[in-house]
Amino acid sequence: MSVEGGEQRPVTGTQINYLFVCPTELWYFSHHLNMEHSSDLVAAGRFIHQNTYQREKKDIKIEGIAIDFVKKGDTVELHEVKKSKKMERAHEMQALYYLYVLRKKGIKAVAVLDYPLIRERKKLELDEQNGKAVEDAVARVKGIASLKVPPQPKRIPICPKCSYYEFCWAE
């Protein structure tokens, strides 16, 4: 990843998510061109996150990851609250990355993707195959983030709603 002040920064869950949404968005985000503050979609997601599961302690931060909330029982459950399933693969990989980071610290857990607006949940476990997919994703994130210029954008259905739209498609 990028080196600032001689320190290597860890990959973040957001970067893993963006890798599976749009590599160009990942590059902009990795180079601190943060436009999410102007995005209605991000604001809607933040509203859902803040106004659901209110009894839970939220936003647990550990080395580049920010878990929405954790439930402890027989098994530790990491919960990620998402607005819709449109980017489900990106959500899955972000949650699996969190499990991967925790496993490296000796913490075994499962992840739960919560979709409160459609009242659905999906449970994920980090197995060998998922672990390899996460390692591959981390390497890809580092590769894209280290590029001097952003990858060529590819027009996808989410482009018009993306906070980076003007960076990619302005004429």
Side-chain angles (χ1 to χ4, degrees):
M1 268 289 296
S2 69
V3 177
E4 290 181 21
E7 257 182 66
Q8 184 133 17
R9 294 183 345 198
V11 168
T12 68
T14 300
Q15 288 174 303
I16 295 292
N17 185 300
Y18 285 175
L19 174 67
F20 291 90
V21 174
C22 173
T24 308
E25 180 180 32
L26 165 61
W27 188 91
Y28 287 132
F29 178 83
S30 298
H31 288 261
H32 309 291
L33 296 168
N34 298 325
M35 300 298 294
E36 288 83 2
H37 65 279
S38 64
S39 169
D40 291 340
L41 293 175
V42 172
R46 190 174 300 117
F47 178 83
I48 291 165
H49 170 71
Q50 291 170 346
N51 291 290
T52 58
Y53 308 102
Q54 291 184 349
R55 290 184 226 152
E56 307 299 337
K57 182 178 186 262
K58 296 184 180 175
D59 301 321
I60 295 101
K61 293 181 167 72
I62 304 167
E63 280 187 31
I65 65 174
I67 302 161
D68 288 345
F69 67 92
V70 174
K71 282 190 175 181
K72 295 178 185 173
D74 293 339
T75 305
V76 175
E77 288 184 352
L78 312 180
H79 286 257
E80 277 298 298
V81 180
K82 301 297 183 183
K83 186 172 58 117
S84 79
K85 294 175 86 171
K86 286 181 184 172
M87 304 294 168
E88 189 171 21
R89 183 66 179 148
H91 302 159
E92 290 171 356
M93 289 305 297
Q94 180 180 8
L96 289 169
Y97 176 67
Y98 294 168
L99 294 176
Y100 179 83
V101 168
L102 292 178
R103 179 154 305 159
K104 287 176 75 173
K105 296 187 165 304
I107 301 168
K108 188 171 176 7
V110 298
V112 178
L113 296 176
D114 291 293
Y115 298 99
L117 296 181
I118 59 173
R119 292 190 166 100
E120 284 189 30
R121 284 189 164 161
K122 182 172 188 175
K123 190 179 261 187
L124 302 166
E125 295 187 38
L126 185 67
D127 58 21
E128 188 175 334
Q129 182 179 358
N130 288 336
K132 288 184 189 317
V134 168
E135 289 171 353
D136 177 61
V138 168
R140 290 171 50 207
V141 164
K142 289 178 179 181
I144 291 168
S146 70
L147 295 173
K148 297 289 184 208
V149 296
Q152 189 66 36
K154 293 183 177 129
R155 199 172 290 274
I156 57 176
I158 196 171
C159 285
K161 295 179 181 180
C162 177
S163 57
Y164 297 95
Y165 182 83
E166 294 298 323
F167 283 97
C168 296
W169 307 112
E171 304 206 9

